[in-house]
């Protein structure tokens, strides 16, 4: 793969574009040189990059990191809460006239049709929510609500509502049904059966998907900042083409934020299992 990438860059046939291989190699060298922090290029001392990085962090990057993290946390919390609320109504084993396959008394034809339609509509909403790219959702919401954090939060929440609904739904539908049948036989409703008989059994799996999507929300919040809100993506977009060293620092900060989220999710899951 690495050899193919070098071949595509240096060029053969149509892949070389309008630039000859020598010019492309010069551009690559110039780009690599511009990634070196400006104070280091002037002094040759890498220690001089520390005050430069701290100044950038203090001026804008720290606020952008906090904004990125806040958008991701708010979005995944809304998505998870919304998916959890409607999940009992989307579960194919519960959202039916005879929950878990147990006869629940005589019901009207309208009620039978209503349960089928309700579950189908919610599952369709899961599909629709995850089918629309969050970048497009954010663009539309910014046009309606203006440029602030909530359009980005809502765009990410809607998209992840669909993904979590699908993932959590598959997990809950594949859990052993014995506990659910026992609760329904004893008179519990669908929501109570889900909360007591299903959710405790799949909670750790739910958390795995929840934190996985939270890490993705951090990456997506970074990218959505390119629409104009002060996140790391906005700083990357402003630096691109002019200050490659600053852009590279912001990219590294974004990677560090995602790594911190991954470590936090691993710690929480281990703590809960313990």
């Amino acid at each position: 793969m690495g050899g193919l990438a070098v071949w595509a860059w240096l060029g053969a046939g149509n892949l070389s574009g309008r630039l000859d291989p020598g010019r492309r190699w010069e551009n690559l060298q110039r780009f690599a040189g511009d990634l070196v922090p400006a104070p280091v290029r002037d002094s040759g001392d890498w220690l001089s990059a520390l005050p430069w990085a701290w100044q950038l962090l203090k001026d804008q990057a720290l606020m952008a990191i906090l904004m990125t993290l806040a958008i991701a946390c708010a979005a995944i919390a809304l998505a998870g809460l919304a998916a959890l609320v409607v999940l009992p109504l989307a579960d194919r084993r519960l959202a039916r006239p005879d929950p878990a396959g147990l006869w629940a008394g005589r019901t009207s034809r309208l009620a039978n049709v209503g349960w089928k339609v309700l579950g189908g509509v919610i599952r369709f909403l899961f599909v629709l929510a995850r089918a629309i790219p969050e970048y497009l959702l954010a663009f539309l919401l910014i046009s309606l609500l203006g440029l602030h954090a909530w359009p980005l939060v809502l765009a990410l929440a809607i998209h992840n509502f669909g993904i979590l609904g699908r993932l959590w739904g598959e997990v809950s539908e594949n859990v052993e049904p014995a506990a659910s049948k026992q609760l329904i036989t004893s008179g519990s409703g669908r929501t109570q059966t889900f909360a007591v008989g299903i959710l405790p059994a799949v909670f750790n799996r739910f958390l795995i998907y929840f934190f996985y999507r939270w890490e993705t929300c951090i990456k997506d919040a970074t990218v959505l900042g390119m629409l104009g809100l002060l996140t790391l993506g906005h700083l990357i977009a402003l630096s691109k083409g002019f200050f490659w060293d600053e852009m590279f620092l912001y990219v590294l900060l974004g990677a560090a934020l995602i790594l911190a989220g991954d470590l936090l999710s691993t710690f929480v899951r281990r703590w809960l299992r313990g």
Side-chain angles (χ1 to χ4, degrees), residues 96-99 102-113 115 190:
R96 49 190 289 183
D98 53 341
L102 300 175
W103 187 68
R106 189 179 301 276
T107 58
S108 66
R109 182 175 298 178
L110 181 62
N112 294 342
V113 174
W115 278 115
R190 293 172 176 82

Side-chain angles (χ1 to χ4, degrees), residues 93-94 100 102 175-185 193 197-198:
R93 293 195 303 193
L94 292 179
L102 300 175
V175 74
E176 175 60 42
S180 299
K181 290 183 177 181
Q182 183 177 0
L183 287 167
I184 292 172
T185 304
T193 299
I198 296 178

Side-chain angles (χ1 to χ4, degrees), residues 144-173:
L144 295 173
L145 305 176
L147 183 59
H148 52 89
W150 276 109
L152 274 62
V153 171
L154 292 176
L156 289 173
I158 292 171
H159 187 73
N160 284 277
F161 163 77
I163 295 175
L164 287 178
R166 170 64 183 275
L167 295 175
W168 286 356
E170 290 182 353
V171 172
S172 64
E173 288 176 1

Side-chain angles (χ1 to χ4, degrees), residues 54 56-67 235 253:
W54 172 248
L56 290 177
L57 186 66
K58 186 171 60 174
D59 287 346
Q60 285 186 307
L62 182 59
M63 181 59 68
I65 290 173
L66 293 176
M67 180 65 74
L235 298 181
L253 289 174

